Amino acid sequence: MTHPDAPPTGRLVLAATPIGNVEDASPRLRRLLAESEVVAAEDTRRLRALAARMGVTIGGRVVSYHEHNEGERAGELLDVVRGGGTVVVVTDAGMPSVSDPGFRVVAAAVEAGVPVTAAPGPSAVLTALALSGLPTDRFCFEGFPPRKPGERARALAELATERRTLVFFEAPHRLGQTLAAMADAFGPQRPAAVCRELTKTYEEVVRGPLVDLVAWAVAGEVRGEIAIVVGGDVGHPVATTADLVAEVLARADAGERLKDAVADVAETARVPKRELYAAALAARTR
């Protein structure tokens, strides 16, 4: 029994919503939407449409909570919890805070000592990983790659020697470009899978080496929500800068132009040419 003088206890709940199939909505999600004092939604119209498909009447106040207002809205939501109410946070699909709003209010709740929990459920990241056919024992989620080609190439180059399976999100109109950039960064034969419209009517998982996926993506119009899963680097141990410089200098001593040797070694090792050239010049003058 709660002591009459005890302060009211509320809670903040991150609740996963279906990523496609409405039948994946959990009984707990249904109850939270019906009983919570406040439902904070990434898109209030989509939330109401989802609730209608679920046959659930939202019982509390619905407020918007998205990337543009989550910082300022967090305090308001935590005030409800401090007052003893339940606030449920939902996004358009999947688990809040995973490439979606939610992180800031959780961080604020943790800092303020406000109770926070989760109603787990569908996840595009885990579903794509499970269906990819690639190793699942160790993986990392990288979200959306940078949109600008140069930034994207640099970001992918940093992941080229990552041994864990990689999971990305991508927009349909950038899929071909991103797969081509991945083939350049990871190698054309790196195994991968494109997972499209997961749990929906037109669900599709296309598996194969990156070079084949590039050809598939540019051959037709790919639509829907997309996750890309790429196998980790299982090749030879990563060469150190000293190893690469030694190879460059050995080839230069054998008569090859230094710049040509640097360009070839840098491309094979997937390292910046400028940095390798500078290191080779420095080693040569010692």
Side-chain angles (χ1 to χ4, degrees):
M1 179 180 295
T2 302
H3 191 279
D5 296 327
T9 56
R11 58 180 178 158
L12 175 72
V13 185
L14 301 184
T17 55
I19 60 175
N21 192 324
V22 70
E23 293 180 5
D24 294 334
S26 70
R28 189 177 176 195
L29 173 63
R30 296 172 183 274
R31 179 170 55 81
L32 284 167
L33 293 179
E35 299 178 1
S36 297
E37 280 72 18
V38 174
V39 180
E42 182 179 9
D43 185 319
T44 57
R45 289 173 299 180
R46 289 192 180 187
L47 168 66
R48 294 187 188 282
L50 172 64
R53 294 197 304 274
M54 292 167 55
V56 172
T57 300
I58 299 174
R61 180 165 56 97
V62 176
V63 300
S64 64
Y65 182 75
H66 47 74
E67 62 177 335
H68 301 298
N69 74 353
E70 57 177 327
E72 61 188 65
R73 183 75 82 181
E76 174 189 334
L77 298 180
L78 295 188
D79 285 343
V80 175
V81 177
R82 291 189 186 96
T86 295
V87 173
V88 58
V89 176
V90 295
T91 56
D92 293 345
M95 193 70 196
S97 80
V98 180
S99 198
D100 274 330
F103 165 74
R104 286 185 174 86
V105 71
V106 172
V110 171
E111 183 177 358
V114 170
V116 57
T117 187
S123 165
V125 176
L126 297 181
T127 303
L129 178 68
L131 293 179
S132 69
L134 296 168
T136 60
D137 53 337
R138 298 178 68 236
F139 73 95
C140 55
F141 174 56
E142 292 293 326
F144 285 88
R147 296 185 181 185
K148 295 182 178 179
E151 294 178 5
R152 180 171 56 212
R154 286 190 291 273
L156 294 175
E158 292 177 358
L159 296 169
T161 57
E162 172 60 65
R163 294 184 177 274
R164 294 173 294 180
T165 299
L166 302 161
V167 184
F168 302 85
F169 287 161
E170 190 51 288
H173 63 280
R174 289 194 296 271
L175 179 62
Q177 296 174 349
T178 294
L179 289 172
M182 288 178 173
D184 289 340
F186 303 152
Q189 296 303 316
R190 182 77 71 91
V194 175
C195 305
R196 186 180 72 86
E197 294 290 86
L198 292 172
T199 77
K200 299 179 183 178
T201 302
Y202 298 104
E203 175 180 287
E204 181 179 24
V205 180
V206 182
R207 307 173 183 87
L210 282 168
V211 65
D212 290 352
L213 294 182
V214 172
W216 165 78
V218 301
E221 184 178 3
V222 182
R223 299 180 179 180
E225 296 181 349
I226 293 169
I228 305 171
V229 187
V230 183
D233 180 27
V234 294
H236 299 293
V238 180
T240 65
T241 300
D243 294 332
L244 299 178
V245 168
E247 182 179 350
V248 167
L249 295 182
R251 290 171 61 160
D253 290 341
E256 189 173 354
R257 289 182 61 212
L258 183 65
K259 286 187 176 181
D260 292 340
V262 166
D264 189 49
V265 172
E267 182 178 1
T268 301
R270 296 194 287 270
V271 298
K273 288 190 293 186
R274 182 178 299 177
E275 294 179 12
L276 181 57
Y277 185 70
L281 284 179
R284 233 185 186 185
T285 57
R286 289 173 189 164

